[in-house]
Amino acid sequence: MTPEERSLLIAKDKQNVWHPYTEMSAYRRGTPLVIERAHGARLVDANGREYIDGNAQWWTSLLGHNHPRLVRALCSQAEKLCHTSLAGITHAPAVELSEALIRTCPDGLKHAFFTDNGSTAVEAAIKMAIQFWTQQSAPRHNKSRFLALEGAFHGETLGATALCDVGAFRSPFSAVTMPVTHLPSPAADLDLAVSALKAELEAHADTICALVIEPLIQGAGGMQMYSPEYLVHARQLTEKYGVLLIVDEVFTGYGRTGTFWACEQARITPDILCSAKGLSGGMLPFAATIASERLFEAFMGDRSRAFLYGHTYCGNPLGAAVACEVLRVYEDEDVLAGAVIRAKLIKQSMARLAELPGVYAARSLGVCGALNLGEGGGYLSDLGWRVYEAALAQGVYLRPLGNVVYLTPALNIPLTDLELLLATVETSVQVVLDELKSVRG
Ligand SMILES: *Cc1c(COP(=O)(O)O)cnc(C)c1O
């Protein structure tokens, strides 16, 4: 792209494109990155400059960008069949994917329902759970309230928004969201979280439909990490009190936390598991909501009992074919074993960062590291953005969550790129801390 072409592109963008999670007047004053190509853990902009991708593009491209096998799988499926619906008919990629995906799941999860993004994977789970209770032999219409955790993030659609407890994302819509009770998070205090869940279930289980949780890491809420012990309690308690357990592995699945699914670390089987993001290797919008036999059985019988849900692109063959190839690449390239080495380097880097005055709660789990700058802040803080600018100037893309600086690179990021990424995070954080110190005098 010539400099003129690039300028024209940016001018047209500012005129016509409305960007997600982006305040557009500030955006229009700045100069956006124009990404033209990507390969492995690197993005290439319109000037030909390379950036190490520190967040795998919103946590999706876990096998790196444009993995040649995924690109080939996409092209070869496109030549055969680009789309047919899954309503009452079927195609090979969906069948193959459901079998391969269920094989990865905790025992007892048996039936894969496909949608096209993480929010709809959660939305489908919400509706599945509600309809499940209304279709019991003694219908339980009153079991319609959901439990979620403080600091939770589950997506963008209205049902998913209701489950969220990130104030900045939720507050504009609070007048129209369904009732959800947000319980103390184990990321803040494990014992308190367990006792609060127990108390809530003891008192109100007859009106509660399901508990929805992000296992081990609450992602968009600020990369808050917690012990698998909570998941064990959550499973035991929900079972005891007759409440469904929905585990949202949209971010944590596909090896991010060290195991293929985060809930494996607690050896639990939820009633429903939601997956997206890494599922299609950051190539296409694709998602799955995987249910137990007991859930599935409740939808058998006359036509009115069918699960009343289905997006136009549910189970799209292109996405399904790529998702099948993703699973094969995990096996053939032993991606989880490679992730162990990367996890160790991230952990060491976070330990070094923890030493800096001004850095709080430096933490890591699997191929995910995070730290807080300052003690308060939240999503609207600009401290993380100052680190973003400092890192970008050094060729690293590091989108923050307010005052939380984190890295979630591809699980197979080349080790030399990872070392460069970690060194850049460390110097960029230091630069911003020094600026703060000199301002304070
Ligand atoms: C990203 C995310 C979602 C939403 O997925 P989209 O594909 O962005 O709709 C839901 N749950 C969790 C835990 C996520 O991290």
Side-chain angles (χ1 to χ4, degrees):
M1 204 179 287
T2 66
E4 293 72 32
E5 285 169 336
R6 180 174 166 277
S7 301
L8 185 62
L9 192 81
I10 290 174
K12 286 187 184 171
D13 172 288
K14 288 181 177 177
Q15 206 167 16
N16 301 311
V17 182
W18 192 348
H19 292 266
Y21 281 108
T22 303
E23 195 284 302
M24 292 302 294
S25 67
Y27 177 86
R28 283 178 160 177
R29 287 192 298 275
T31 307
L33 266 185
V34 179
I35 303 299
E36 202 168 43
R37 282 174 296 120
H39 57 89
R42 290 179 176 234
L43 306 167
V44 187
D45 77 6
N47 300 324
R49 181 162 185 220
E50 298 209 350
Y51 300 85
I52 296 177
D53 187 354
N55 93 342
Q57 292 315 291
W58 263 346
W59 326 338
T60 59
S61 55
L62 304 194
L63 300 175
H65 294 283
N66 286 52
H67 191 295
R69 281 184 57 180
L70 303 188
V71 174
R72 243 179 284 134
L74 174 62
C75 294
S76 98
Q77 180 58 40
E79 281 169 5
K80 283 184 279 193
L81 172 70
C82 288
H83 187 62
T84 156
S85 97
L86 265 191
I89 58 176
T90 197
H91 53 74
V95 175
E96 214 180 301
L97 175 61
S98 55
E99 189 185 20
L101 192 58
I102 287 163
R103 213 180 304 129
T104 68
C105 282
D107 275 348
L109 291 172
K110 297 263 192 225
H111 304 276
F113 187 90
F114 297 123
T115 60
D116 41 26
N117 61 72
S119 307
T120 57
V122 172
E123 205 73 27
I126 291 171
K127 286 193 165 179
M128 220 176 248
I130 293 173
Q131 203 180 331
F132 169 81
W133 288 118
T134 62
Q135 292 184 177
Q136 298 304 296
S137 51
R140 310 283 298 278
H141 294 282
N142 56 333
K143 275 179 87 70
S144 57
R145 189 159 57 93
F146 284 80
L147 304 180
L149 294 178
E150 287 172 1
F153 178 79
H154 295 288
E156 305 296 336
T157 49
L158 263 183
T161 295
L163 295 174
C164 291
D165 181 46
V166 181
F169 301 166
R170 184 192 154 89
S171 60
F173 314 107
S174 57
V176 293
T177 48
M178 66 178 186
V180 173
T181 302
H182 290 97
L183 299 171
S185 164
D189 182 335
L190 176 64
D191 293 337
L192 177 67
V194 173
S195 59
L197 175 60
K198 186 158 188 278
E200 179 70 21
L201 291 173
E202 234 163 38
H204 303 295
D206 57 333
T207 62
I208 299 169
C209 176
L211 166 67
V212 187
I213 49 179
E214 293 161 271
L216 303 190
I217 309 180
Q218 296 185 276
M223 299 295 164
Q224 304 300 328
M225 300 173 185
Y226 66 86
S227 142
E229 210 180 307
Y230 180 78
L231 300 176
V232 175
H233 288 289
R235 179 66 286 186
Q236 281 168 354
L237 289 168
T238 48
E239 213 151 69
K240 176 171 174 196
Y241 290 99
V243 163
L244 299 174
L245 177 64
I246 299 172
V247 166
D248 177 354
E249 295 248 18
V250 168
F251 167 54
T252 53
Y254 279 74
R256 177 60 73 194
T257 69
T259 41
F260 192 83
W261 301 110
C263 65
E264 283 171 41
Q265 294 182 38
R267 299 196 172 78
I268 61 157
T269 301
D271 298 287
I272 304 176
L273 182 150
C274 304
S275 177
K277 294 201 167 114
L279 170 64
S280 54
M283 300 258 302
L284 292 154
F286 204 88
T289 304
I290 306 154
S292 69
E293 193 65 39
R294 172 174 169 238
L295 253 286
F296 180 78
E297 285 289 334
F299 293 80
M300 306 285 228
D302 69 66
R303 202 178 277 176
S304 70
R305 292 174 73 86
F307 183 35
L308 297 174
Y309 195 101
H311 295 277
T312 310
Y313 283 106
C314 275
N316 170 263
L318 297 174
V322 169
C324 286
E325 190 69 4
V326 165
L327 289 174
R328 286 184 215 110
V329 170
Y330 267 76
E331 266 196 45
D332 297 347
E333 297 184 3
D334 210 349
V335 171
L336 292 192
V340 173
I341 301 161
R342 287 147 182 91
K344 204 161 141 193
L345 292 172
I346 292 173
K347 191 169 181 188
Q348 289 165 354
S349 172
M350 291 303 126
R352 285 191 295 274
L353 281 158
E355 300 290 313
L356 300 178
V359 167
Y360 295 83
R363 54 200 178 271
S364 76
L365 180 63
V367 187
C368 174
L371 58 92
N372 296 21
L373 283 177
E375 286 179 284
Y379 182 76
L380 299 177
S381 157
D382 79 334
L383 279 175
W385 286 105
R386 290 165 65 172
V387 175
Y388 168 89
E389 293 295 344
L392 200 65
Q394 297 175 69
V396 164
Y397 177 87
L398 205 66
R399 192 183 158 87
L401 287 158
N403 67 325
V404 176
V405 174
Y406 70 89
L407 50 124
T408 53
L411 303 189
N412 63 358
I413 179 174
L415 291 175
T416 47
D417 278 0
L418 180 58
E419 277 157 12
L420 211 56
L421 169 62
L422 294 171
T424 307
V425 173
E426 291 174 38
T427 54
S428 303
V429 166
Q430 185 68 65
V431 163
V432 171
L433 291 172
D434 288 346
E435 281 171 16
L436 288 176
K437 219 171 0 178
S438 69
V439 170
R440 284 204 203 100

